[in-house]
């Protein structure tokens, strides 16, 4: 499997500045059930900090507030963290009795009373429970993982922890839950997401033994799981609370535990997220004094700063960062000319070429983008006749190319990224038609404040929040949410866009970006037949169970691409933005065109977007 170092990702931010944390998971007992003491914790924290080939492993995730061997004394990881200046993601153990939970709260209150002010800056957050929803799922029950907790019980206990923090120096610390990605995508558990300040997700491709889970597919399975969690998170931060690949143990379907495979997984997953997304690897050491099967530790039975395999990430630093939410400038230099007339919201205008320099704002609607993140260069490509030097900050993904059936697709994680590209696509003139109407994305947009929008993702843009294919050959079948745009003589795709209310009064363009296949870094597509694309605005948005027969009616055809050719960026429609509205566009094929592509923001971006002026 091909991997890529072309992306420097920054964690999603909810404040102007936020630190990104990385560390390991730490249990309360050794493999012989002996309690981990303060000195043991200090030794482990210092070892993680000094691991050869790494930097920035200065955080720790705990599973319980209670010191092993006591009823409700707080964990000795607390004073160890103070002594070593280690950040803590605290844990409250659930899946037990109310009495046991109350003991966790007692330990939490005692820790605040004794160390509250001293540790205020070292507490990352508090996780209420770990894989409790998984334990009551059919898979968890099959794997004898009981007991577990249902969503209502977890929500009550999340609220109880928030109440315990209220009025203390730890008040305001994020309180969330940790579970498997399969639990989060189960809609019956959505109340847990709503109650949480952050979502901690655990994903182990090694254990996904009903799927092709060899190391060649390991990273793609992980990012697929992470992305599935992001998709249902409701905008909450999604932290990676457990993942890893075992260094020893039994074969799990196609997954082989080995030092070589653990190193590959570290490179393809860890090195992409360390310092970018809050990440807690599993694990530093799990083989003292006995080695479990499987074993995931990056060090062996002897605690040492010399790991079992190379952790250097190919020479790149994996340190934690403090990242600004202020976007970097977008610098565009292009000879490309763009001409388009349309009505996106009843306004017709010409779109001149983008300026030679403008202030980019990143992906519009994002919770933050990076100005301080280093930029990784993209190699020059001969695919386009127009050369573009482009630097921009945008919402993007942490991608892995993988194979599904006959298709090559990409899984990804969402975050903010600063990207430099040294190649671009040729811009094209598109035939469009004007339209008008009213209501839910079907009416005239407000008067635009500009007649120029980028014909790429160099400035603010909106990405589709829902893609729904509909098939007239199976008119009553709901295909559900898709990552792919699919158009053919029988299939069209509906793209929902959520325009922030802040865009009211701004100028927007509906664009279709279609680079050549060899220009793509993290996506792919299949294309056959001849013809083009037709774009229509619908009277309302699609939903997950939309079918060909129940889809919203067409309000107006906004534009078309008569002859779709790779290597072109197409302006479909331009006009006033539909601020505060959810708008659906249906993309259909003309002629015999058959296109299936993975919608992706990465260089080169591909798919349907709204660019903003």
């Amino acid at each position: 499997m091909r991997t890529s170092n072309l992306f420097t990702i920054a964690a999603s931010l909810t404040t102007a500045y936020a630190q990104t944390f990385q560390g390991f998971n730490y249990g309360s007992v050794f493999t012989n059930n002996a309690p981990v003491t303060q000195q043991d914790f200090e030794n482990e924290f210092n070892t993680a900090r000094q691991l050869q080939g790494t930097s920035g492993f200065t955080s720790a995730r705990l599973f319980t507030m209670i010191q092993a061997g006591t009823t409700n004394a707080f964990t000795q990881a607390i004073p160890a963290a103070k002594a070593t200046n280690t950040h803590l993601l605290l844990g409250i153990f659930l899946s037990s009795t109310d009495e046991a939970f109350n003991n966790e709260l007692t330990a939490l209150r005692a820790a605040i009373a004794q160390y509250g002010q001293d540790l205020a800056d070292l507490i990352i957050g508090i996780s209420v429970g770990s894989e409790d929803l998984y334990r009551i799922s059919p898979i968890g029950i099959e794997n004898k993982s009981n007991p577990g907790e249902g969503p209502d019980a977890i929500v009550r206990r999340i609220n109880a922890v928030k109440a315990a923090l209220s009025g203390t120096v730890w008040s305001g610390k994020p309180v969330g839950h940790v579970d498997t990605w399969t639990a989060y995508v189960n809609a019956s558990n959505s109340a847990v997401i709503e109650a949480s300040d952050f979502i901690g997700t655990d994903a182990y491709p090694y254990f996904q033994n009903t799927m092709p889970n060899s190391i060649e597919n390991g990273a793609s399975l992980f990012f697929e799981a992470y992305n599935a969690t992001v998709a249902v998170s409701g905008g909450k931060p999604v932290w990676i609370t457990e993942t890893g690949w075992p260094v020893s143990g039994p074969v799990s379907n196609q997954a082989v535990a080995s030092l070589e495979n653990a190193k590959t997984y570290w490179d393809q997953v860890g090195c992409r997220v360390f310092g970018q997304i809050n990440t807690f690897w599993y694990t530093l050491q799990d083989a003292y004094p006995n080695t479990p099967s499987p074993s995931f530790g990056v060090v062996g039975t002897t605690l040492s700063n010399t790991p079992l395999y190379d952790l250097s990430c190919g020479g790149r630093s994996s340190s934690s960062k403090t990242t600004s939410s202020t976007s970097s400038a977008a610098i565009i230099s292009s000879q490309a000319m763009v001409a388009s007339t349309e009505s996106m919201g009843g306004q017709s205008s010409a779109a001149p070429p983008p300026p030679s320099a403008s202030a980019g704002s990143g992906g519009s609607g994002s919770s933050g983008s990076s100005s301080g993140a280093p930029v990784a260069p993209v190699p020059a490509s001969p695919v386009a006749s127009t050369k573009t030097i482009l630097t921009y900050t945008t919402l993007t993904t942490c991608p892995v190319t993988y194979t599904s059936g006959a298709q090559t697709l990409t899984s990804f994680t969402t975050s903010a990224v600063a990207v430099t590209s040294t190649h671009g696509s040729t811009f094209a003139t598109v035939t469009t038609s004007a339209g008008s109407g009213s209501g839910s994305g079907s009416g005239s947009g407000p008067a635009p404040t500009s007649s120029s929008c980028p014909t790429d993702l160099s400035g603010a843009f909106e990405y589709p929040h829902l893609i729904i294919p509909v098939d007239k050959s199976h008119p009553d079948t709901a295909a559900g949410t898709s990552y792919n745009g699919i158009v053919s003589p029988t299939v069209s795709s509906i793209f929902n866009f959520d325009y922030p209310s802040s865009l009211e009064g701004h100028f927007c363009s509906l664009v279709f970006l279609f680079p050549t296949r060899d220009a793509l870094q993290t996506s792919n597509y299949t294309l056959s037949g001849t013809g083009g694309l037709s774009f229509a605005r619908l009277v309302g948005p699609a939903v997950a169970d939309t079918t060909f027969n129940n889809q919203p009616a067409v309000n107006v055809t906004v534009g078309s691409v008569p002859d779709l050719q790779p290597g072109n960026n197409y302006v479909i429609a331009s006009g006033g933005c539909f601020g505060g509205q959810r708008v659906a566009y249906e993309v259909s094929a003309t002629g015999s065109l058959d296109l299936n592509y993975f919608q992706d923001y990465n260089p080169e971006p591909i798919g349907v977007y709204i660019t903003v002026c």
Side-chain angles (χ1 to χ4, degrees):
M1 179 175 64
R2 181 180 64 84
T3 63
S4 174
N5 302 358
L6 301 177
F7 312 99
T8 304
I9 52 179
S12 298
L13 304 177
T14 56
T15 58
Y17 292 89
Q19 183 173 358
T20 305
F21 302 96
Q22 66 190 49
F24 294 97
N25 288 265
Y26 295 88
S28 60
V29 296
F30 293 110
T31 55
N32 62 355
N33 287 323
V36 180
T37 67
Q38 177 179 341
Q39 188 59 59
D40 293 325
F41 278 119
E42 289 186 24
N43 293 341
E44 291 176 338
F45 294 166
N46 284 325
T47 297
R49 187 184 300 268
Q50 299 164 9
L51 272 176
Q52 292 180 9
T54 73
S55 63
F57 280 85
T58 57
S59 302
R61 179 198 169 212
L62 308 178
F63 295 88
T64 177
M65 281 300 304
I66 298 174
Q67 175 62 27
T70 73
T71 300
N72 53 26
F74 59 77
T75 171
Q76 291 180 24
I78 296 283
K82 181 187 177 202
T84 59
N85 198 36
T86 298
H87 290 86
L88 293 177
L89 175 57
L90 298 174
I92 300 285
F93 183 76
L94 298 185
S95 297
S96 190
T97 63
D98 287 340
E99 180 182 2
F101 174 68
N102 289 333
N103 285 333
E104 293 277 349
L105 288 182
T106 298
L108 174 64
R109 293 188 181 102
I112 296 174
Q114 185 169 345
Y115 287 99
Q117 190 60 57
D118 291 340
L119 284 183
D121 293 335
L122 292 177
I123 301 302
I124 302 169
I126 302 176
S127 166
V128 181
S130 181
E131 299 189 0
D132 307 278
L133 296 170
Y134 161 78
R135 290 190 179 98
I136 63 170
S137 71
I139 298 174
I141 294 172
E142 180 182 346
N143 291 331
K144 299 179 174 59
S145 300
N146 276 337
E149 292 278 11
D152 292 343
I154 294 173
V155 168
R156 285 197 304 271
R157 290 177 172 176
I158 287 174
N159 291 334
V161 171
K162 290 182 177 180
L165 298 181
S166 179
T168 73
V169 293
W170 291 2
S171 179
K173 295 294 182 182
V175 178
H177 177 68
V178 168
D179 226 301
T180 62
W181 69 275
T182 54
Y184 290 124
V185 299
N186 184 337
S188 65
N189 296 326
S190 61
V192 175
I193 295 175
E194 294 170 6
S196 297
D197 299 323
F198 70 89
I199 308 301
T201 188
D202 295 353
Y204 290 95
Y206 171 82
F207 290 119
Q208 291 181 238
N209 55 19
T210 62
M211 306 176 71
N213 67 334
S214 67
I215 188 59
E216 289 76 17
N217 292 325
S220 64
L221 287 174
F222 170 81
F223 286 120
E224 190 175 54
Y226 181 85
N227 188 67
T229 307
V230 171
V232 298
S233 67
K236 304 288 179 71
V238 178
W239 300 350
I240 301 165
T241 40
E242 286 184 45
T243 195
W245 194 277
V247 298
S248 64
V251 174
S252 176
N253 190 28
Q254 299 175 0
V256 176
S258 70
L259 290 174
E260 179 183 2
N261 288 346
K263 162 64 175 171
T264 297
Y265 192 76
W266 177 278
D267 288 346
Q268 295 181 355
V269 175
C271 293
R272 288 177 164 179
V273 299
F274 293 145
Q276 319 300 335
I277 300 168
N278 287 352
T279 301
F280 301 89
W281 201 259
Y282 194 85
T283 189
L284 176 68
Q285 184 190 45
D286 63 357
Y288 178 80
N290 308 308
T291 302
S293 182
S295 174
F296 288 78
V298 301
V299 300
T301 301
T302 301
L303 194 63
S304 168
N305 63 6
T306 302
L308 295 175
Y309 52 89
D310 181 16
L311 305 180
S312 61
C313 290
R316 290 183 294 135
S317 171
S318 57
S319 61
S320 300
K321 295 184 181 70
T322 298
T323 313
S324 167
S325 63
T326 305
S327 62
S328 62
I331 302 173
I332 305 172
S333 174
S334 176
Q335 300 174 357
M337 297 297 295
V338 182
S340 163
T341 349
E342 191 310 287
S343 163
M344 200 155 171
Q347 286 283 1
S348 297
S349 63
S356 60
S358 63
S361 61
S364 179
S366 72
S367 58
S369 54
S370 170
S371 65
V375 177
V378 178
S381 170
V383 299
S385 60
T386 300
K387 297 298 181 185
T388 301
I389 305 300
L390 178 65
T391 301
Y392 58 90
T393 298
T394 179
L395 283 181
T396 190
T397 60
C398 192
V400 177
T401 302
Y402 68 103
T403 300
S404 176
Q407 293 180 309
T408 300
L409 305 175
T410 299
S411 180
F412 56 93
T413 64
T414 303
S415 46
V417 60
V419 181
T420 295
S421 174
T422 58
H423 61 283
S425 298
T426 304
F427 299 129
T429 301
V430 183
T431 302
T432 61
S433 60
S436 60
S438 62
S440 189
S442 58
S444 298
T449 58
S450 169
S451 61
S452 172
C453 281
T455 321
D456 51 29
L457 303 188
S458 59
F461 70 92
E462 290 296 319
Y463 53 92
H465 288 173
L466 186 69
I467 304 175
I468 300 291
V470 293
D471 187 349
K472 67 181 179 183
S473 66
H474 299 89
D476 295 313
T477 299
T481 302
S482 175
Y483 294 137
N484 284 33
I486 305 170
V487 292
S488 74
T490 62
V491 178
S492 58
S493 289
I494 301 172
F495 297 78
N496 281 5
F497 288 89
D498 294 291
Y499 289 76
S501 57
S502 60
L503 295 185
E504 187 171 356
H506 287 258
F507 191 88
C508 288
S509 291
L510 175 69
V511 300
F512 184 74
L513 311 182
F514 194 49
T516 57
R517 190 180 289 109
D518 57 359
L520 297 171
Q521 301 293 326
T522 62
S523 184
N524 208 341
Y525 61 82
T526 59
L527 175 65
S528 62
T530 60
L533 301 174
S534 178
F535 295 76
R537 189 168 64 247
L538 306 183
V539 297
V543 294
D545 58 359
T546 292
T547 68
F548 180 84
N549 275 345
N550 68 16
Q551 66 180 308
V554 171
N555 176 265
V556 62
T557 299
V558 297
S560 66
V561 179
D563 182 21
L564 182 68
Q565 294 294 330
N568 290 287
N569 288 357
Y570 296 94
V571 178
I572 307 302
S574 296
C577 302
F578 295 102
Q581 298 185 53
R582 177 171 294 170
V583 182
Y585 295 94
E586 183 173 17
V587 183
S588 305
T590 61
S592 61
L593 186 81
D594 192 323
L595 172 65
N596 188 329
Y597 72 90
F598 182 81
Q599 176 94 14
D600 191 7
Y601 329 109
N602 286 307
E604 288 290 320
I606 183 172
V608 183
Y609 300 91
I610 302 294
T611 59
V612 183
C613 301

